[in-house]
Amino acid sequence: MDNYAVEMTGITKIFGEGFKANDNVNLRVKRGDIHALVGENGAGKSTLMNILYGMYRPDSGYIKINSAEKTFHSPSEAISGGIGMVHQHFMLVETLSVLENIILGDEPAGFAGIIDYNTCRKRIKELAFVFRIDIDLDAKVGSLPVGIQQKIEILKILYRNAEILILDEPTAVLTPRETEGLFKTLKELRSEGKTIILISHKMSEVLSISDRITVLRRGKVTGDLHTADTGKSELGRLIVGEEIADLSVKVKTPFEDTILEVKNVSIKNDRKFLAIEDISFLVQSGEILGIAGVEGNGQTELIEALSGIREIDSGTVLLNGKRLQQNDVIAHIPADRHKHGIVKEYPLYMNILLGRESESGFSTPYHLKQKELINYTDNLIKEFDIRPADHGQLMGGLSGGNQQKAVAARELTKDTDLIIASHPTRGLDIKAAKFVHEALLSERRKGKAVVLVSTDLSELLMLSDRIAVMYNGTITGMFKAVQTDENEIGMYMTGMMAKDSKK
Amino acid sequence: MQELPMDEILDIAFLLQTLRITIPYLLPSVGAVFSEKGGVINIALEGILLAGAFCTAVGTFYTGNVLLGIVCGVSAGVLIAYIHSIITITFKANQIVSGIALNIFALGITKFFCKILFNSSSNSARIEGLETLNLPFNPFLLLCIIILAISYITIYRTKFGLRLRAAGENPEAADSLGINVNRIRYAGVLISGALAGLGGAWLAFEQHSFTDGMSAGRGYIALAAMIIGKWNPLGAAAACLLFGFAESFTLQFQNSGIPTQFIQMLPYVLTIIVLAGFIGKANPPAADGIPFEKKD
Ligand SMILES: Nc1ncnc2c1ncn2[C@@H]1O[C@H](COP(=O)(O)OP(=O)(O)OP(=O)(O)O)[C@@H](O)[C@H]1O
Ligand SMILES: [Mg+2]
């Protein structure tokens, strides 16, 4: 009867004046299970896990760990209670090495506090071996791809002997391959008797890996299911409270002007090596060009160059037949919204203004038109269903998904012919993701040109007219979306195949 | 223009002079590394040097004991650093403003007590000092070298150092691992105070007295050296040595026929060249200067 690793009972958490992020939530997780926690953006998943991890204090309710009542006042108490968490946004110190990041806060030290690197290196190597995680312990964390950074986070937890692992949207930033690797690790952990709580928006993942599922909606539990007894449609209904309609049908658009022309472009990365070598492609009005590829094959540099953040080394980029200028207006949904998309300390309506401050609707040469801006924001909040519906809310207080919606709202309503979207649905719930998909399709219908970078192949196949596959800084294949499939693209992504794509 | 007498540059007296000039840069500069690695900018080092010199002079004068004098100087440094910590870490006030205020405060209060204790607002009575400062291997110099080595090891090899670097680089991450970021930051700032206080003691001993405003911008130069040294104690020490050399050079050739203005300009030209040309882009700790706010 008492084989529960975690029992959270009657948890309520109130933010600000009476906003209940968690409302009388009950969560019970069996020992040795992979337990999925799902729900819309802003449903309160991260909040609930932060409470379990001792970051937040609940306003009411109690927590039992292995049947004993526990109150964690801080993460360090939770850690010593056997709980570890991988946050939605990684908690890594980029300038430190992998090894240093793992031992930080729990360093074996000898005389005068000098760290015994040999001991911990051995220990971590053992852990890595048992759980089949393979990393170079001396690399600087900042230089590693996200998939590896995630493994570091997991090792960090295992190093602290955690029995209960919380993973907040671990797959949002991973490629399909990396996700596979992560799931292998998670299964390995489960077979060693660890308990795992996994937050994810991807239904297929949740259904394939979890044992049980708890669904949250607007702070309340709306479902508690055996994975084996449920399916996509029931789950979708519990999450959003309604049936999700299929994506609207993509018909051929009548436009044929070329909007974006990239000719023999080469681009250097931060370390001054060529990240992109001599690539050429066109994007037409009313067309979505998907760009597929494992992260780190030049997509980032290409997108940065197209959106004007990075200089091109040689070649030309033409927008509507004219050389692309720094001050050309382009809609850009960046991959890393925290670095490039938002200012967390500004309220929502100021974030809507970012990059658009000289539009005549928002400002005169002398001052900002606050009232117009706020009205405009209120409309976007309605149109894009941003929650909470408050233009004065600080951006940092919005849930990850709602931050992304706000960025999409700002960019897609810009007056421009070119939209560059980089992982636009990363971290979005199914409803919000569908919303962004519809928005992109509707811009396409209006005759805009869209460049869509994503590691989610099903998303690319669904939305794109053509798909360019990037490998090692070049385009190795260009396909009509209707004439290809995930397998073929996957082969080109890993460099196993390439065909001449010039012209 | 005259031939430069090269043999003079390399003689032992010149070397010692260089070291003597370097020490009061080096100690606060290494101190600054501790403070900024943890995420707190401490420009109060200038005032701490001054107060350290004053309290060393007073302590030595009244006890007649050089060691007790040093203890006084270091304590004064720690005290001012403690005030800086309370203002900037606990109350999260602007670190530059607090530093400037403390510098002005140190300037005023040393003058004030100088007048009361020594009946002169410009200098103290003569103190014993360390005669051995003129020896190549005097104990104070040795102490500085040991401090430098220990500092390096502390920052890069110990538990404390690792946590300090994490606190200045990504305090949220450190906090999520149960590290008390603010306490670590306090420690970093207090160490910087102790080291700068010791630098002040050196100044007082070298001149055998305290004189008004005797820190003369050394605290700021120490900060510049820390930046040139890329927030690494050894790098900072090398930069301080460079400044010490340039200044020593200036003194040496003041009467050599080369226009003195030109010679006096040298240390600064050197700084600019080094900063612009030889040192690559230096990255300060990512959270340097930003108070840490814990989530509720
Ligand atoms: N520190 C905070 N202050 C005020 N409101 C907050 C804070 N943290 C979260 N919220 C609000 O609480 C609600 C739940 O947020 P939470 O981050 O738990 O959502 P989530 O389910 O993790 O969503 P997502 O899938 O987008 O990450 C959101 O409406 C959010 O705006
Ligand atoms: Mg979340």
Side-chain angles (χ1 to χ4, degrees), chain A residues 240-438:
Chain A
V240 294
E242 60 194 79
E243 222 54 70
I244 298 260
D246 285 339
L247 202 63
S248 56
V249 189
K250 203 172 64 187
V251 286
K252 197 168 170 5
T253 53
F255 310 95
E256 36 198 45
D257 317 340
T258 297
I259 303 282
L260 178 73
E261 184 169 6
V262 173
K263 272 198 287 198
N264 304 103
V265 165
S266 296
I267 304 165
K268 283 187 177 152
N269 64 13
D270 289 336
R271 284 177 291 164
K272 305 268 178 274
F273 294 123
L274 278 183
I276 294 278
E277 228 179 318
D278 190 26
I279 70 168
S280 307
F281 60 86
L282 300 175
V283 191
Q284 288 186 338
S285 175
E287 181 186 42
I288 296 182
L289 175 73
I291 295 188
V294 176
E295 231 164 313
N297 279 284
Q299 302 94 315
T300 315
E301 286 79 5
L302 176 64
I303 293 300
E304 284 177 356
L306 292 182
S307 56
I309 322 177
R310 183 178 291 276
E311 265 180 62
I312 60 173
D313 201 51
S314 64
T316 43
V317 178
L318 303 178
L319 178 63
N320 286 324
K322 279 186 288 210
R323 201 174 251 279
L324 185 71
Q325 301 279 320
Q326 184 82 45
N327 54 2
D328 283 336
V329 178
I330 288 172
H332 178 209
I333 302 178
D336 185 343
R337 58 176 170 259
H338 284 261
K339 232 187 236 161
H340 303 298
I342 62 172
V343 178
K344 282 201 261 182
E345 293 76 13
Y346 282 5
L348 177 57
Y349 72 92
M350 290 298 257
N351 272 280
I352 294 297
L353 185 68
L354 291 179
R356 303 180 64 173
E357 55 286 337
S358 47
E359 282 180 28
S360 62
F362 298 141
S363 65
T364 71
Y366 308 105
H367 74 288
L368 292 176
K369 300 179 180 167
Q370 288 264 355
K371 230 170 64 205
E372 283 86 342
L373 177 60
I374 285 175
N375 279 337
Y376 187 82
T377 306
D378 285 339
N379 285 336
L380 289 186
I381 288 175
K382 260 192 232 122
E383 194 184 331
F384 284 78
D385 190 26
I386 300 167
R387 280 183 236 161
D390 170 10
H391 58 249
Q393 168 75 38
L394 290 192
M395 204 66 174
L398 290 184
S399 77
N402 280 297
Q403 291 175 351
Q404 183 71 351
K405 283 196 229 171
V407 173
R410 176 184 71 214
E411 296 299 323
L412 295 180
T413 50
K414 270 186 184 171
D415 180 24
T416 170
D417 294 328
L418 179 63
I419 297 169
I420 296 169
S422 203
H423 311 283
T425 58
R426 195 174 257 183
L428 291 196
D429 67 46
I430 33 180
K431 197 170 156 200
K434 170 156 185 289
F435 184 89
V436 170
H437 288 162
E438 287 290 359

Side-chain angles (χ1 to χ4, degrees), chain A residues 13 53 55-56 75-76 91-93 95-96 100 104-105 107 109 112-115 117 156 160, chain B residues 153 156-160 162-163 165-166 169-170 172-179 294-296:
Chain A
K13 174 74 192 173
Y53 189 55
M55 298 261 272
Y56 293 155
S76 50
M91 293 285 189
L92 294 169
V93 185
T95 50
L96 299 184
E100 286 172 323
L104 181 63
E107 312 86 346
I114 293 179
I115 297 174
Y117 281 107
K156 229 160 90 176
R160 287 165 174 74
Chain B
I153 293 171
Y156 291 106
R157 290 279 176 274
T158 68
K159 202 158 131 169
F160 169 73
L162 182 62
R163 293 177 175 200
R165 284 180 288 148
E169 200 65 53
N170 188 345
E172 282 80 23
D175 182 61
S176 79
L177 293 168
I179 292 169
K294 218 172 144 63
K295 284 202 247 169
D296 106 79

Side-chain angles (χ1 to χ4, degrees), chain B residues 10 15-16 32 39 81-82 100 112 115 122 125 134 140 142 146 159 164 174 177 233 235 255 265 269 285:
Chain B
L10 295 173
L15 221 77
L16 275 177
Y82 188 56
I100 292 175
F112 177 73
K115 177 88 184 154
S122 63
N134 293 321
F140 207 127
L142 217 60
I146 293 171
K159 202 158 131 169
L164 185 74
L177 293 168
N255 305 314
M265 192 174 83
V269 172

Side-chain angles (χ1 to χ4, degrees), chain A residues 432-478:
Chain A
K434 170 156 185 289
F435 184 89
V436 170
H437 288 162
E438 287 290 359
L440 286 174
L441 286 178
S442 124
E443 297 303 311
R444 169 182 174 274
R445 272 195 300 276
K446 287 184 210 155
K448 298 202 178 171
V450 181
V451 177
L452 170 69
V453 177
S454 177
T455 46
D456 184 343
L457 295 185
S458 59
E459 173 176 84
L460 282 176
L461 286 163
M462 210 160 54
L463 297 178
S464 315
D465 295 285
R466 287 180 303 141
I467 297 176
V469 186
M470 290 192 62
Y471 178 73
N472 225 345
T474 57
I475 293 181
T476 52
M478 181 73 88

Side-chain angles (χ1 to χ4, degrees), chain A residues 46 88 168-169:
Chain A
S46 297
Q88 198 165 358
D168 194 350
E169 289 188 42

